[in-house]
Amino acid sequence: MADYPSISEQVDDLESARTDGHRKMDWAREHMPILTAMQADFEANQPFEGHRIGMAMHVEAKTAVLVETLAEGGADVAITGCNPLSTHDDVSAALDEHPNITSYAKREVDDEEYYEAIEAVISHEPTITVDDGMDLVAAIHEDYPELIDSIVGGCEETTTGVHRLRAMDEDGALKYPVFAVNDTPMKRLFDNVHGTGESSLANIAMTTNLSWAGKNVVVAGYGDCGRGVAKKASGQNANVIVTEVEPRRALEAHMEGYDVMPMTEAAKIGDVFLTTTGNRDVITSEHFEKMDDGVLLANAGHFDVEVNLDDLSDLAVNQREARDGVREYEMEDGRRLNVLAEGRLVNLASPIALGHPVEVMDQSFGVQAASVRELVENGDQYDAGVHEVPDELDREIAEIKLDAEGVEYDDLTPEQEEYMGSWQHGT
Amino acid sequence: MADYPSISEQVDDLESARTDGHRKMDWAREHMPILTAMQADFEANQPFEGHRIGMAMHVEAKTAVLVETLAEGGADVAITGCNPLSTHDDVSAALDEHPNITSYAKREVDDEEYYEAIEAVISHEPTITVDDGMDLVAAIHEDYPELIDSIVGGCEETTTGVHRLRAMDEDGALKYPVFAVNDTPMKRLFDNVHGTGESSLANIAMTTNLSWAGKNVVVAGYGDCGRGVAKKASGQNANVIVTEVEPRRALEAHMEGYDVMPMTEAAKIGDVFLTTTGNRDVITSEHFEKMDDGVLLANAGHFDVEVNLDDLSDLAVNQREARDGVREYEMEDGRRLNVLAEGRLVNLASPIALGHPVEVMDQSFGVQAASVRELVENGDQYDAGVHEVPDELDREIAEIKLDAEGVEYDDLTPEQEEYMGSWQHGT
Amino acid sequence: MADYPSISEQVDDLESARTDGHRKMDWAREHMPILTAMQADFEANQPFEGHRIGMAMHVEAKTAVLVETLAEGGADVAITGCNPLSTHDDVSAALDEHPNITSYAKREVDDEEYYEAIEAVISHEPTITVDDGMDLVAAIHEDYPELIDSIVGGCEETTTGVHRLRAMDEDGALKYPVFAVNDTPMKRLFDNVHGTGESSLANIAMTTNLSWAGKNVVVAGYGDCGRGVAKKASGQNANVIVTEVEPRRALEAHMEGYDVMPMTEAAKIGDVFLTTTGNRDVITSEHFEKMDDGVLLANAGHFDVEVNLDDLSDLAVNQREARDGVREYEMEDGRRLNVLAEGRLVNLASPIALGHPVEVMDQSFGVQAASVRELVENGDQYDAGVHEVPDELDREIAEIKLDAEGVEYDDLTPEQEEYMGSWQHGT
Amino acid sequence: MADYPSISEQVDDLESARTDGHRKMDWAREHMPILTAMQADFEANQPFEGHRIGMAMHVEAKTAVLVETLAEGGADVAITGCNPLSTHDDVSAALDEHPNITSYAKREVDDEEYYEAIEAVISHEPTITVDDGMDLVAAIHEDYPELIDSIVGGCEETTTGVHRLRAMDEDGALKYPVFAVNDTPMKRLFDNVHGTGESSLANIAMTTNLSWAGKNVVVAGYGDCGRGVAKKASGQNANVIVTEVEPRRALEAHMEGYDVMPMTEAAKIGDVFLTTTGNRDVITSEHFEKMDDGVLLANAGHFDVEVNLDDLSDLAVNQREARDGVREYEMEDGRRLNVLAEGRLVNLASPIALGHPVEVMDQSFGVQAASVRELVENGDQYDAGVHEVPDELDREIAEIKLDAEGVEYDDLTPEQEEYMGSWQHGT
């Protein structure tokens, strides 16, 4: 496996691919002020010198800027994809051009190649792992336990990865510290509200050629994502209707000025339905039967189980692609129900989707980069197991972003610090 | 020219083209409640029986629903394109399948073919003309004056067409009545505010993979379009900055809560610039020189003269396509200024653009259909010349839309009518 | 009547009254940048030198700043009230202290005194009249026609006054030019939308101790006032429901994202009802019968005929003052319907009401001051009759306001002027 | 002290006082659906039978509805004020009329009477205490420790009270369980955002006669209160500027679309300043010196230390009451800075203030009533010390509110519960 070929040995027109890859990375970097600022700092201070970072992530332009940032900080980086369909070969080739980076990521590899590429990364004997779905952590623990002693720690980007790591941790099977990058405020408060909200609506508009003004938009779930979708839809002059199962969230939505009602009622009047619950079967037969001709059904939750497509297929007398990215289900009475992006995340799976907005990934990857630095600097202070990212790192990323955008804010005076402190201590 | 071939004789795989065309028309029709309702009425009453309608318009799905609506009302329709690049051959072929419709529209015809197709339409001896740029009116007046006596009137969709018709009218050269469909409230209050606003923002988001939250968005011009863009950008949590030259509009923007400043100041802090003034040279060298690295420049006004690209080219030491639909101009000091859609209407000319939203065209085309009906029913009451669409027709379209959407509203009681009347007369 | 006493001869503790009056005027002036700027200009240029201005207006702090502005410009001003209940004696006394001003306005005078005070103003032989309800114009035309020759013109602030003047004009009875200050964009676009909207909501909140969040707020009428109320209520997180009789306005409200429905439906779900139609009987028995216990009924339209209080009294088995400014009508089934401010303009007639916001009156009075200056400078160019305020004066007030607030904006370049001109002329 | 007189023995015209008190309570109750629903339930089930509840709270109409609710549930209630200036004697007298209630609360009692009234409450030997500032808990622990054994628990409404109780608890000095009612989501998410936001703005508008449109409103602090003020001010078309010391909050405000800057910069451009930080010296000399003439300074944070009035007095060459509730400080250069409500909570301390909105107190008091019920039913399960209100009680109040308002929402199906559960457990 040590001789698994890097991407540069696999693409046809390497120069052209690298040009395209750099062009994509340039655009992303131009709009990633956090990573740009960190990169400048890392270049100057070389915090990662002597470290080897193994990565398995979606190899596209935004991730590439993170990879480059770590490499510029002195790390040797070896990377492969975490999903064979998300790799951009041109970006992979551009990365591989960097003297400190070896990229094995290639689009549409088969299963065998996929795991060979992971082993190729591991063959670099990483001291730090960065995962998007814990592929590296799993492979190392299973097949290369001899490497664990020299690993200072890892970072995990996804919800699913964090859950599996926590399960390992509870079983005492996780042998080095891993940061749960997924759970930080800098991700949750921005990615979900602004990133999911804006990109879901833009994808729907550009897939359907329809407008939002005056539409009844039913938002299922009023968590962070639901809040974002509701707020942005309202900001496009839609009439927002919220469905919820938790009464305090329902009350929050009601007090925000939205209509709140059960899905069985909302089904009768909605023009567009957007699910954000994280649960299954949010929209089912009993709802489909009440819907108007021409409604749009889209999902902004993680899995494609929120709109029950089996139910819908059963009800349909006819199906067809009404447009690219829009599947029309014709009911017996002639009504047409239109499902976007096969009920998968509409901002990722629609045909024109570009993934999360650049700025949002800049924040998440900023936390990644700071977490890697923390492992290098203080990794020995963390026990094996899953750890939350230290609050001051998260806060630091906010500081960098504000600084990069030229947004200034206040400092507490010593007197104010004391006043707040005394208050908190009850004097 | 009578033997100029219809589209059906020109496409390769006619059946497949018609299927695709019908699929596109189905989608549009599904979201055009006004035309759908009018079509049902026209089918029942056949108002256009015995009439021949000649049309020269953008032959794509939304227009096709208008054409079909007129044909279902008993008219014989002959149509061709008003721009060789805007025709969808599949839609054209689907239209041509209708027994009452002959379509000559074909994409990428040369100049000679373009005008032969117009003559082919005229060869049907239309009693009514429907233009999008006055091609038919012009050709008939110049080359087929003998047809004018049997023509009851025409409709013109565009600003430019209306202006040229008014000039003709002033010279006494316009020989039959033409409605200025472009200028009605049902178009102006909705198309400009909601249609332009939403589609401009969605196109920019999906072209750039960027988000709006926290961006300084500079909107040049606070007319109907500027208002729409500002409102929708604010609804996506942008910080909106308005530039204006008319003090009352500037004050309206200020009182709305937006920052108002000259472009020379806005240039220093804007992240995205959107021009909507209808004027030229709104953003020029003196502004480019002050802009930050990475700004986006887009235009939502009619012509591509608002952002001065000559100035920008002169300043640039380098240009390249940073992304599809994004041209990057690199300044001597390294700053990169990104122009979207070559400074043309960003919601029409960007690579992923779909044109105006379906619902907006439903309103405009509803006014078209009602205007054609008015010509058939009362055309003899209009002198030769340009006419405003009667207010009650415009109002009727609003009624149909509300009815189709199930929105009910109140009627004045006789006592209330009298009260309002007496008030207006000063008692 | 020449010996009708000025206010200074009538108040008990003159010094104290003047102190209070100045205190009120200081506050108003501090927040009236337009009049402040005009006052500085008038002081320097003395445009009104040699003119005598007769005024009959609401003598309270905001008006007083206008009066003072004219006096500082060199005019001799004589003023009295236009309504015996709206005069603030302390403000009247403070005005009367000014060497160029004589004020006869006194609160709670009887009818005879009221008209004597008007004659006292006329006895100053005004060359210009400024009216708020055409009292001066009427008295001069009826009883002092000999003064008309020396009068250069007048200004009228109110809708009602303008209507009566137009009737006079049609009869050929109006013998000097009068500006309809009421109708300018600078009043209509700001006073109605922002002034009425904000002050109506603030009055209701502070009268009832209730909040807006999550309330169903029914706004009757979607003209300028209705738009303002709907927008501001939505901005406090109310769920806005609009009723209308004009379909395009109904559609505009619908496309804004509001629920639109007939009042008979809205009556069932509304928590707060606000009428802004200018019509009568907007809410009547058939609606009262459907309303929930505890609803609020308020009016923001000109007259107290929108909520039919006769109907409500007939239905009620009991009435009482539930709070200051809130009359509770108890229905037979126990439901309580609460009418604010007796169904009169809630932002003027509620017990804590302060009238229109200062800034709004600054704009209206700025137009007044500019109109008076226009009469002095160009009065001979206006025929006897009602005239619109010239657009450039209205525009000038916007310029002064923007300048006073430090808001800068752009100028057209000569090339841009030419471009716009050529466009408008159809080249 | 057992013979300390109830309010009924102290007011002059008892019948009239009771009528007024009931009128105020009627209004509050009419808009308190949660307490109304709980009262109906308590009347039917008599949960508090046999219990004696001692209370020390602000005896005004909203609190009175809580007291009545507990009494209707079978409790014997004895109450006095927690601040001599907040008692409404008429409401106190109306309460005292109830057979189960004795009220000792009287306005403007002196210190000795104040504490005698507290002892009078304690003389009823309460089994439950309800405090607004821990007066009862303190007095019982200090002077009547023999009662503690029969006390099942207490409730504390305020932040300050909770802090002092926590200190006692840490010292092992707190001898019975007390619920920290102050800290529940049902209070925090609504009271702070909607209650503080709306009532602060309405108080400022009605105190100053000014409008919000186009104003630069500087909000200091972006916690729950700051968010509320910013959101509501933006909803009135103000241009909101936020100052913060915590970078993530600053970034949240920035991403919401607000301007973020240090107070030294905001001071130069603000028209209105609203402090919500909970800290001291947020606005000081260095800021006063930069402010424009005519600015408004108001506080919506708990204590009157946010705007440094000592600094302001030192700078001022002159002070006066510019209006009721507005103190004007004149600077040496003539600028006038206007402080509202003496820098105390503007929605409570302004002359026209009515306290928090009724609906907000309904939610907080609903949690109080449920907490008292929990003590009665399960008090023996709580150790001595400070306890959080159980989450299901908080949730129950949301359910009652939604039910009372007729807002329906969804339930999880068993399959959905399982799916969520399995997810959380990592399968």
Side-chain angles (χ1 to χ4, degrees), chain D residues 207-281:
Chain D
T207 297
T208 63
N209 198 19
L210 298 176
S211 74
W212 294 103
K215 288 281 191 309
N216 287 333
V217 174
V218 178
V219 180
Y222 199 66
D224 285 333
C225 286
R227 256 165 249 267
V229 169
K231 179 195 194 81
K232 304 284 175 172
S234 181
Q236 299 297 289
N237 301 107
N239 181 27
V240 172
I241 294 157
V242 171
T243 73
E244 245 300 338
V245 296
E246 212 283 337
R248 282 167 299 189
R249 289 186 167 183
L251 187 56
E252 276 191 273
H254 171 70
M255 297 291 268
E256 194 70 23
Y258 301 132
D259 279 318
V260 176
M261 62 185 74
M263 186 57 83
T264 44
E265 292 303 310
K268 297 176 193 166
I269 58 175
D271 297 307
V272 185
F273 296 80
L274 252 159
T275 52
T276 72
T277 69
N279 209 327
R280 56 180 279 191
D281 299 331

Side-chain angles (χ1 to χ4, degrees), chain A residues 23 26-27 30-31 62 194 198 202-203 205-206 208-213 215 231-232 235-237 294 296 320-323 326 328 336 338 352 354-359, chain B residues 23 26-27 30-31 62 194 198 202-203 205-206 208-213 215 231-232 235-237 294 296 320-323 326 328 336 338 352 354-359:
Chain A
R23 193 177 74 128
D26 287 347
W27 181 259
E30 189 174 337
H31 299 283
K62 289 164 282 189
H194 297 294
E198 290 185 29
N203 268 284
M206 295 303 297
T208 63
N209 199 17
L210 298 176
S211 73
W212 295 104
K215 288 282 190 311
K231 177 194 195 82
K232 304 283 176 173
Q236 300 295 289
N237 302 105
L296 306 183
R320 65 165 175 169
E321 294 305 303
R323 293 172 77 83
V326 182
E328 173 191 292
R336 291 155 295 179
N338 301 295
I352 53 169
L354 301 165
H356 271 325
V358 177
E359 302 91 334
Chain B
R23 193 177 76 128
D26 288 348
W27 181 260
E30 190 173 336
H31 300 283
K62 291 163 281 189
H194 297 294
E198 291 185 27
N203 268 284
M206 295 303 297
T208 63
N209 199 19
L210 299 176
S211 74
W212 295 103
K215 287 281 190 311
K231 177 195 194 83
K232 304 285 175 172
Q236 300 296 290
N237 301 107
L296 305 183
R320 66 166 175 169
E321 293 307 301
R323 295 172 76 82
V326 182
E328 175 192 290
R336 290 155 297 178
N338 301 294
I352 54 169
L354 301 164
H356 270 327
V358 178
E359 302 92 334

